[in-house]
Amino acid sequence: MPLADQLIAALIDILGPTGVIAPGPDMLPYLGEERGLFTGDALAVARPAKVDEVAATVRLCAQSGLPVFAQGGNTGLVGGGVPAGGVVLSTERLTRIREVDPLNLTMTVEAGVVLQAVQRAADDADCLFPLSLGAEGSCRIGGNIATNAGGMGVLRYGNTRELVLGLEVVLADGTVWNGLRGLRKDNTGYDLKQLFIGSEGTLGVITAAVLKLFPKPAARATALAGCPDLDHLMAVFARARTLSGDTLTAFEMMSRLAVELAVSHIPDVRDPLDSPYPFYALIELSSSRPGDPLDELLESVLGEAFEAGEVSDAVIAASGPQAAALWSLRESIPEAQTREGGSIKHDVSVPVSRVAHLVTRGVDLVTRAMPGIRPCPFGHVGDGNIHFNLTQPVDMDRTAFLARWEDMNRVIHDLVVDLGGSISAEHGIGRLKRDELTHYAPPVAIDLMRGVKRALDPNNIMNPGKILRIDGA
Ligand code: FAD
Ligand code: ZN
């Protein structure tokens, strides 16, 4: 029997026929990623439904010297889950919520549970799981953990890294590490789970996690404010942080172009303010205390900001649907940008105090490098994280524009690094930024990362070619 057929037969032995997809049309969704920047190939897709099946699959691959490409919802934006031969290990059948413990404020879930289902299960127990991002209807919690996903609630609740108390992981030789502890204090040696969080499938396959829950918000206030420039918008952020303390949950920024694109391309999205403004802040306060007068608090923040000339106009949502409409304006920007044509993306962060400088200087530099380019920055400025995306000039050919991806990266990434920032704030490295990481990270850091990789995956079978090149591969 040819090797590929032997592999499929061996996988069917472990997983049953529904657990295996052989090459053919059904495999296509697992071979590429949403933006079409990367495509790959695989000998098979394995769909284990239990941790033991994951372990047996990885053991089989290890024994056969085949690479394993873990995949969750495949919504990642850096080509991290795209295979190059070997076996795609999809977590889509690992969908059990094993336990919810409201007193301990934790839940134990399997890696393939879709983020939105995690949020709903928490809600059903009268709790909040605060991770929230545009892809929440299709990304899976294992993918969120493997990428240390950020999103809208980081300002208040932290990145995924801060939301994970324990992990279960299948290691590169098929051994299961059970680190499913629901402890807020645990100083027993190295914190192993942190190695796997954000490791993008290169160190092991995450099969389950203990997640932190929070009291469910009982009051919420949401506003959209138009600002004359970014310095003033950041002053509103500082004001909101001081006046609203721990109720400040999100502080998002949108440039005028981002709002225009969302309004013109996405049905039912509208700009609620009467005039256009160069920048907009989307502000959300929330509290678990029922009846907390958050609207009044937000009004006083905006009133003071208006007096100080930081805000030109603002609207506070009067109902849940109005708040949802403000959020859909923000959340539809990536899709709107895609519909407008080519978009060169930068997911970067700098200290909050340097956000305004980054955007002003960055716009200046890219405009000089390519007259007619349309910078479209937006993002989580409360975390110092900007999606500094560049929309193609109106008359330019899309392919010719995208061919300038690396030039534009160099302009923005040099500036970001100069300002003490990071070239990957929340989406990770994957394939897309692998060479950028090597270009900017200190050699000592790269050596340490390679050392960790070799210790955990000596034969380089876990998602090879992602984050780092190992031995040229
Ligand atoms: P996948 O894309 O399947 O995989 C991502 C990486 O994790 C790959 O390297 C893969 O090998 C690895 N991996 C997946 N599952 C496992 C596992 N069980 N064990 C080990 N490794 C694994 N990201 C943000 O951080 N913040 C945002 O605000 C945000 N917004 C987005 C909005 C849209 C519209 C889209 C399309 C994407 C957005 N993303 C965002 C990116 C993406 O949704 C996140 O990176 C998400 O965490 C990926 O989850 P996934 O299940 O789709 O993972
Ligand atoms: Zn984001």
Side-chain angles (χ1 to χ4, degrees):
M1 222 195 308
L3 190 72
D5 294 344
Q6 282 178 33
L7 173 73
I8 302 271
L11 284 173
I12 290 176
D13 268 355
I14 299 169
L15 306 171
T18 52
V20 184
I21 300 173
D26 290 350
M27 196 191 265
L28 289 179
Y30 303 87
L31 301 182
E33 41 85 80
E34 133 152 3
R35 284 194 279 173
L37 293 179
F38 300 98
T39 45
D41 58 75
L43 298 172
V45 176
R47 303 165 66 240
K50 293 188 220 128
V51 59
D52 293 349
E53 294 180 358
V54 177
T57 304
V58 173
R59 209 173 303 121
L60 173 70
C61 292
Q63 282 158 3
S64 322
L66 288 172
V68 179
F69 300 90
Q71 222 176 70
N74 201 14
T75 67
L77 297 173
V78 291
V82 176
V87 174
V88 172
L89 195 155
S90 168
T91 60
E92 65 200 353
R93 294 208 302 153
L94 289 166
T95 52
R96 272 195 323 134
I97 292 180
R98 293 189 191 164
E99 189 193 13
V100 181
D101 182 347
L103 180 58
N104 196 41
L105 276 176
T106 52
M107 69 197 293
T108 306
V109 301
E110 292 186 344
V113 182
V114 169
L115 174 55
Q116 206 164 59
V118 176
Q119 295 164 344
R120 287 196 182 131
D123 193 71
D124 290 346
D126 222 18
C127 296
L128 172 76
F129 180 63
L131 183 66
S132 168
L133 45 110
E136 63 198 22
S138 45
C139 62
R140 296 176 189 271
I141 192 68
N144 301 140
I145 296 169
T147 57
N148 183 28
M152 313 295 180
V154 174
L155 187 59
R156 170 93 168 265
Y157 299 102
N159 287 296
T160 302
R161 192 178 291 287
E162 276 87 40
L163 303 175
V164 174
L165 291 176
L167 283 184
E168 177 185 82
V169 181
V170 172
L171 306 176
D173 63 355
T175 307
V176 180
W177 170 56
N178 184 335
L180 288 174
R181 289 149 78 89
L183 304 174
R184 281 168 175 80
K185 291 190 166 179
D186 179 15
N187 281 338
T188 46
Y190 300 136
D191 192 349
L192 297 175
K193 67 178 179 293
Q194 296 298 351
L195 275 179
F196 296 99
I197 302 172
S199 67
E200 302 183 44
T202 62
L203 300 180
V205 180
I206 296 162
T207 50
V210 182
L211 304 175
K212 252 191 218 176
L213 302 179
F214 294 82
K216 191 152 117 182
R220 218 183 267 280
T222 311
L224 182 78
C227 302
D229 59 37
L230 207 43
D231 282 313
H232 284 99
L233 182 140
M234 295 311 290
V236 181
F237 171 59
R239 193 178 287 284
R241 198 173 45 185
T242 307
L243 293 180
S244 49
D246 71 348
T247 65
L248 183 59
T249 309
F251 196 98
E252 298 285 314
M253 177 276 276
M254 297 175 276
S255 56
R256 176 65 200 162
L257 179 62
V259 168
E260 272 171 17
L261 295 183
V263 169
S264 63
H265 289 296
I266 310 293
D268 300 330
V269 166
R270 51 181 287 273
D271 170 3
L273 301 182
D274 293 331
S275 307
Y277 298 98
F279 291 97
Y280 298 80
L282 176 58
I283 311 167
E284 185 158 290
L285 310 184
S286 70
S287 158
S288 59
R289 290 178 293 269
D292 228 350
L294 296 181
D295 279 345
E296 283 170 34
L297 187 54
L298 197 47
E299 251 169 59
S300 72
V301 170
L302 291 169
E304 283 190 17
F306 188 76
E307 291 292 306
E310 295 157 3
V311 160
S312 310
D313 192 11
V315 56
I316 297 182
S319 64
Q322 278 186 19
L326 295 182
W327 273 109
S328 80
L329 176 62
R330 162 67 185 83
E331 282 167 357
S332 53
I333 296 170
E335 173 63 25
Q337 270 195 318
T338 308
R339 294 195 192 180
E340 180 68 10
S343 173
I344 295 177
K345 317 248 180 195
H346 301 90
D347 158 40
V348 297
S349 64
V350 290
V352 167
S353 46
R354 295 181 181 170
V355 163
H357 180 79
L358 166 70
V359 173
T360 312
R361 181 94 183 105
V363 166
D364 188 40
L365 289 171
V366 294
T367 314
R368 269 197 257 162
M370 187 190 288
I373 199 167
R374 291 175 294 160
C376 187
F378 65 94
H380 323 284
V381 288
D383 314 317
N385 175 195
I386 306 289
H387 296 310
F388 205 139
N389 294 354
L390 308 172
T391 297
Q392 67 171 78
V394 177
D395 299 327
M396 195 169 178
D397 171 61
R398 182 174 184 273
T399 313
F401 175 69
L402 293 179
R404 300 284 304 278
W405 191 292
E406 283 180 21
D407 301 346
M408 291 298 153
N409 275 184
R410 187 62 63 244
V411 172
I412 296 295
H413 289 166
D414 276 358
L415 174 62
V416 162
V417 169
D418 228 36
L419 294 172
S422 164
I423 61 159
S424 175
E426 55 178 10
H427 298 159
I429 300 294
R431 276 272 302 280
L432 185 69
K433 292 190 178 173
R434 186 180 61 187
D435 296 337
E436 290 295 273
L437 176 68
T438 319
H439 182 82
Y440 289 108
V444 176
I446 297 288
D447 281 352
L448 279 171
M449 288 188 213
R450 288 211 169 102
V452 170
K453 170 75 175 168
R454 288 200 180 99
L456 273 81
D457 179 20
N459 297 319
N460 192 22
I461 65 160
M462 305 309 287
N463 207 4
K466 311 298 163 50
I467 302 185
L468 296 166
R469 285 177 199 271
I470 301 290
D471 303 328

